[in-house]
Amino acid sequence: MHLLGLLLLRFVLLPVWIVSTQQNSDQSSSEYAACVEQLALCTESLASAQGQSQEDIAFGVLQTWLMEMYTRNPDKPKPGLSDDADIRDRVLAQVLQLAHTAASEPALALGVGHVLHSFFWWGGRESLDAKRPVGPSVVVAEEAFNLEELAIQNAGCR
């Protein structure tokens, strides 16, 4: 039952929450980027002001921040995560640094683990350079799974 609950959370509930968060967002790209720079402090402040959990806020901020860099916008053409190796490596390094922060701030663990899993499963630059990735990035997969396990423990599940 534990695995079923985790799968339900990962593939059904979280995507629905992401869509609703993005539709109600008034924040700009630069505001999301600034929040990510100080994620623990930013999400704690927003959670307090909005009456939501820090975990929910962190998840939404990270997801929206990366979606804006990943999704193509014909009105604002620019390189992004899906096609620029330098940007991809820089952002992956930033997210891996957030993974280290999340080890001492468990409310960040679900959001950071999820974006590692969703956006960087195949790694950084090597995922763009190869015609077909050889497999998931061991570093990213291990970090994502460790964070998701920490998030489960933080929620009181065993």
Side-chain angles (χ1 to χ4, degrees), residues 8-141:
L8 175 69
L9 175 68
R10 167 68 175 91
F11 293 105
V12 177
L13 300 176
L14 291 178
V16 169
W17 184 85
I18 292 165
V19 170
S20 68
T21 300
Q22 289 172 340
Q23 291 171 346
N24 297 324
S25 175
D26 293 334
Q27 305 299 316
S28 71
S29 299
S30 60
E31 288 173 317
Y32 280 108
C35 186
V36 169
E37 289 291 327
Q38 298 292 321
L39 190 63
L41 180 62
C42 177
T43 56
E44 185 178 333
S45 297
L46 288 171
S48 170
Q50 296 179 7
Q52 291 181 290
S53 76
Q54 185 179 6
E55 185 175 62
D56 286 347
I57 298 288
F59 187 93
V61 165
L62 288 167
Q63 187 73 27
T64 304
W65 173 64
L66 287 169
M67 282 296 293
E68 288 182 359
M69 283 191 275
Y70 192 84
T71 308
R72 299 196 189 284
N73 181 346
D75 297 331
K76 300 177 192 174
K78 60 183 178 180
L81 285 179
S82 62
D83 55 10
D84 187 298
D86 292 334
I87 291 172
R88 188 166 182 82
D89 281 347
R90 180 180 48 79
V91 173
L92 175 57
Q94 187 174 0
V95 174
L96 288 171
Q97 183 60 44
L98 289 172
H100 293 292
T101 302
S104 61
E105 295 277 347
L108 306 179
L110 181 63
V112 176
H114 179 76
V115 298
L116 280 171
H117 183 229
S118 297
F119 291 93
F120 297 103
W121 189 248
W122 304 109
R125 173 181 304 274
E126 66 278 8
S127 68
L128 298 179
D129 292 344
K131 290 189 190 290
R132 181 175 173 182
V134 294
S137 164
V138 173
V139 171
V140 170

